Amino acid sequence: MPVSVLAAASTPSVATQLFGSGLIGLREGLEAGIVVMILAAYLVKAQRRDALKWVWLGVAIAVAMVAIIFFAIHYGTSTVDGLTAEIIAGVASLVAVVIVTIMVLWMRTAAKNISGDLKAGMEKALIAGPVAILSLSFFAVGREGVETALLMVGYAENTAGSSWPLVGLLLGILLAAVLTVAMYFGALRLNLTTFFRYTAIFLIVVAAGILSYGVRALQTGNVLPGGSNLAFNLTPGYDPSTWYGTVLAGIFNFRPDPTVLQAVAWVVYLVVVLALFLRPLPSKPTEPTAPPAHDTHVPEKS
């Protein structure tokens, strides 16, 4: 039975779809919101409010691009069916996992320098002109947006064409916008390091589920072998309609009868990526301390 059919048979609950996609929207939206906040604050401080319109235009274009990517992923496979749809879904899932993994690991080291890099970039963009300002905001926000759209692959392919993941995503982004405004005006203080650390771990687990889904889809499409070799089968005693069943399927793409290749891919991905993400950051090399100067004072003769 094709993966899409199995997914349709146990479509996650509305609450699960809203929670999973909403958390992704909150996390990624907050990242993008902080980027916009840094750029806007710099322009206000530099008394260049006239350039804000180019920042907002860049943000609007980035959001439109993300919406196009999301709808292409979410509804693109509806134009094809059978094994072709499974292959497309599998390839899209693997691409999503690669890009999301790169972004999560990159943000691990880049987050502490992102404010300085954005301010330096805006300083140069102000000299270059409106197109440079627009491009800076577009790429800064678009980077987060593409990651968001790709993360939604798992929901787009596991909800039988439901629109609830999109609703949850938009609600999460809306909440992120409210929190960003509150932080900008000093009404809210949030430990961003802790927030991004734990939500990044959540995204890694989600990505592992998307990888597992992609592997099974490619096995169903006869691109990868081993589609009939199950690692285990909990189907007889597993009820996908329970709260935990809908949460596991809707957020983490869990299925009670994974193939050996699926299970291996899931475990290896989690072990390797979590190890890379959680390893201590290299400490900055300390500058060598200058040796104490020799006392060259010659005492006066009495």
Side-chain angles (χ1 to χ4, degrees), residues 147-165:
E147 181 182 1
T148 304
L150 291 172
L151 266 172
M152 294 302 294
V153 168
Y155 296 94
E157 299 300 333
N158 197 33
T159 56
S162 169
S163 296
W164 288 114

Side-chain angles (χ1 to χ4, degrees), residues 74-249:
H74 195 52
Y75 299 109
T77 55
S78 63
T79 59
V80 293
D81 51 20
L83 297 183
T84 302
E86 301 298 344
I87 294 173
I88 293 174
V91 172
S93 297
L94 297 187
V95 171
V97 170
V98 170
I99 295 181
V100 168
T101 304
I102 291 173
M103 291 299 298
V104 168
L105 294 179
W106 175 77
M107 277 300 294
R108 170 181 173 271
T109 56
K112 59 184 179 182
N113 300 320
I114 192 168
S115 178
D117 292 342
L118 285 170
K119 290 176 181 177
M122 180 56 76
E123 184 178 2
K124 296 177 182 177
L126 285 172
I127 298 173
V131 174
I133 299 171
L134 185 151
S135 299
L136 178 63
S137 63
F138 169 78
F139 286 111
V141 174
R143 179 179 60 215
E144 306 298 336
V146 170
E147 181 182 1
T148 304
L150 291 172
L151 266 172
M152 294 302 294
V153 168
Y155 296 94
E157 299 300 333
N158 197 33
T159 56
S162 169
S163 296
W164 288 114
L166 177 60
V167 175
L169 179 67
L170 294 176
L171 290 175
I173 293 173
L174 179 61
L175 178 58
V178 172
L179 293 177
T180 302
V181 172
M183 285 189 291
Y184 181 81
F185 289 105
L188 173 69
R189 293 187 180 276
L190 184 65
N191 189 326
L192 296 176
T193 301
T194 301
F195 175 81
F196 286 128
R197 178 181 177 84
Y198 286 106
T199 53
I201 293 174
F202 167 79
L203 293 184
I204 290 172
V205 179
V206 170
I210 295 175
L211 172 62
S212 174
Y213 173 89
V215 169
R216 187 61 173 259
L218 291 176
Q219 286 179 315
T220 303
N222 298 321
V223 175
L224 293 177
S228 59
N229 299 328
L230 300 184
F232 54 84
N233 189 357
L234 303 178
T235 304
Y238 183 82
D239 185 0
S241 64
T242 59
W243 69 267
Y244 61 84
T246 56
V247 168
L248 290 174

Side-chain angles (χ1 to χ4, degrees), residues 20-38:
S21 58
L23 189 55
I24 289 176
L26 173 61
R27 200 264 184 190
E28 300 300 318
L30 199 52
E31 277 192 19
I34 290 171
V35 167
V36 176
M37 182 176 65
I38 293 171

